[in-house]
Amino acid sequence: MRLLFTCGGTAGHINPAVALARMFQARNERCEVLFVGAKGGMEERLVPKEGFPLETVTISSFRRSLGPAAIRHNLKTLHDLSVSRREADAILDRFQPDLVVGTGGYASYPVVKAAALRGIPTAVHESNAVPGLTTRRLAKVVDRVMVGYEESRAHYERPERVIVTGTPVRGAFFEKTREEARAALGITDDRPLLLSYWGSLGAEVMNGHMTDFLRREAAAGAPFRHIHGAGRNYEAMCQSLADVTLPDGVELREYIYDMPTVMRAADLVLCRAGASTLAEVSALALPAVIVPSPNVTNHHQEHNAAVLGDKGAAVVLPEPTCSGAVLYRTARDLLADPARRRAMSQEMALLGIPDAAEHIYATLIGLIRP
């Protein structure tokens, strides 16, 4: 069996494909996997790190602007499309896949379309609530479209070809119970745990708010436990908080390497609305305060957050109205209200699909010709 996964641009597109590739190889002997991404994309770093071979095509985005720079960029993109078609055909000639699966990113378009034109079984998975341009165009030619939310069906011309599978979540998120996770973190008291972290898009703005948040938390004597992942803003946050002694139970980390354990132990999450993040939160039925990034194409994160917010599973705060004070009051009040968190958790559980990978695996296996 030969499987080709094509994805890239963000970890949210790459991680689901990696999870599926591992599942296929674990269950099928002599299963050969190839990844195809875009030249210059983060997939060039992430996919080889996961141990999978990667080939690339020359492809880039279209910009929604009539400015001179955008026009020049789009003309180059049109040229790259013709190049990527030839590159995709060459990859298919060499690898001869039994199935081609796109999980998002511009590289998916030329590869999946070329495979569909050859009659190779094809599928795409869209993690976001509203499909992007690539998925909308490929939905017309692939054998199956898999989506994360029931609400997503309405955005496709042929909803009968759309299957709600959810978005794959790594098995590590389910290995521990809440009690085991808290014990692993050395938590011995009954204070609830807040987890907060932001993606790279707009993280500097939100981490600026979190600096104020941590000051307020320290002044209040740490009424709850808190782990914050600052990412690339870690040094700047440390400098800004040099005059503050963070109390016991409040941690400022550069990266949260043990995210499955921390998330499992948490009682509330402050986060962006990336599809993979929301899949993890909903799979664990974890109440959330979500601040969608306004810097994402087609307002994907705002649409993703609305699915959870409209059901009462999360509190959604627009970034322009955010501040350290607003975030702190919102988190403090929720952590002091177990009944509301339980209600949010119940709604979140209805949205989560913990066995999404199983649904996707069954769908894809059904496409492979004997």
Side-chain angles (χ1 to χ4, degrees):
M1 179 190 300
R2 293 188 173 190
L3 303 181
L4 188 155
F5 290 94
T6 174
C7 56
T10 69
H13 292 147
I14 299 166
N15 290 338
V18 169
L20 291 168
R22 293 199 187 287
M23 178 176 282
F24 268 93
Q25 288 191 326
R27 298 184 180 186
N28 300 275
E29 292 185 9
R30 296 183 297 278
C31 177
E32 189 174 350
V33 172
L34 174 67
F35 276 73
V36 178
K39 289 180 181 176
M42 69 165 60
E43 51 269 32
E44 289 188 326
R45 175 174 55 87
L46 294 183
V47 171
K49 185 178 178 182
E50 295 290 343
F52 292 103
L54 173 76
E55 295 197 36
T56 59
V57 295
T58 306
I59 192 71
S60 56
S61 64
F62 281 100
R63 293 180 181 173
R64 293 169 172 79
S65 170
L66 296 178
I71 291 174
R72 287 194 297 272
H73 175 87
N74 289 342
L75 288 173
K76 182 180 183 300
T77 297
L78 287 172
H79 173 265
D80 288 346
L81 272 174
S82 63
V83 174
S84 67
R85 290 190 195 103
R86 294 193 296 272
E87 292 171 334
D89 279 327
I91 291 170
L92 294 174
D93 286 340
R94 288 194 298 272
F95 189 63
Q96 295 290 310
D98 299 298
L99 175 69
V100 174
V101 183
T103 59
Y106 296 108
S108 296
Y109 181 75
V111 180
V112 174
K113 186 173 182 181
L117 291 174
R118 292 180 177 215
I120 299 170
T122 54
V124 292
H125 180 270
E126 177 59 77
S127 300
N128 290 304
V130 176
L133 177 62
T134 298
T135 303
R136 289 201 307 273
R137 295 181 68 179
L138 289 176
K140 301 175 182 179
V141 299
V142 297
D143 296 297
R144 291 289 185 276
V145 177
M146 301 172 290
V147 298
Y149 304 101
E150 180 63 40
E151 290 81 354
S152 301
R153 284 182 184 274
H155 298 283
Y156 293 88
E157 294 180 9
R158 301 180 64 180
E160 73 278 2
R161 298 174 70 180
V162 179
I163 300 173
V164 181
T165 60
T167 295
V169 175
R170 287 180 292 159
F173 282 87
F174 308 104
E175 290 176 353
K176 294 183 177 68
T177 64
R178 178 177 180 274
E179 291 71 24
E180 290 170 341
R182 288 174 71 88
L185 295 174
I187 298 175
T188 57
D189 59 28
D190 294 329
R191 279 184 295 167
L193 172 63
L194 172 69
L195 164 63
S196 58
Y197 62 105
W198 313 104
S200 59
L201 296 173
E204 184 174 359
V205 172
M206 297 309 300
N207 278 321
H209 295 325
M210 293 309 296
T211 300
D212 181 51
F213 185 111
L214 290 168
R215 285 183 177 277
R216 292 172 182 275
E217 196 171 15
F224 46 83
R225 287 183 170 271
H226 184 190
I227 296 175
H228 177 65
R232 63 188 181 190
N233 299 125
Y234 176 73
E235 294 296 336
M237 288 191 71
C238 287
Q239 292 176 11
S240 297
L241 293 166
D243 61 327
V244 176
T245 299
L246 296 180
D248 178 59
V250 177
E251 297 181 48
L252 174 60
R253 300 188 188 180
E254 184 172 5
Y255 296 107
I256 302 176
Y257 292 106
D258 54 344
M259 182 61 81
T261 297
V262 174
M263 188 174 286
R264 191 61 161 166
D267 296 279
L268 181 69
V269 176
L270 291 182
C271 60
R272 288 297 202 188
S276 290
T277 295
L278 298 191
E280 292 160 0
V281 168
S282 59
L284 295 179
L286 191 55
V289 177
I290 301 172
V291 184
S293 172
N295 306 311
V296 178
T297 303
N298 293 331
H299 305 285
H300 279 311
Q301 290 207 3
E302 294 170 18
H303 294 300
N304 293 346
V307 173
L308 277 63
D310 290 347
K311 300 291 186 181
V315 174
V316 180
L317 300 175
E319 184 175 296
T321 67
C322 271
S323 66
V326 169
L327 290 168
Y328 180 76
R329 285 196 301 270
T330 303
R332 178 199 61 194
D333 292 349
L334 283 170
L335 288 169
D337 191 347
R340 186 179 179 193
R341 292 204 316 275
R342 282 195 297 271
M344 294 172 68
S345 178
Q346 290 170 0
E347 294 299 329
M348 193 70 83
L350 296 175
L351 294 167
I353 304 180
D355 57 348
E358 292 288 349
H359 286 279
I360 296 172
Y361 179 83
T363 299
L364 296 179
I365 280 289
L367 294 178
I368 298 176
R369 300 189 184 106

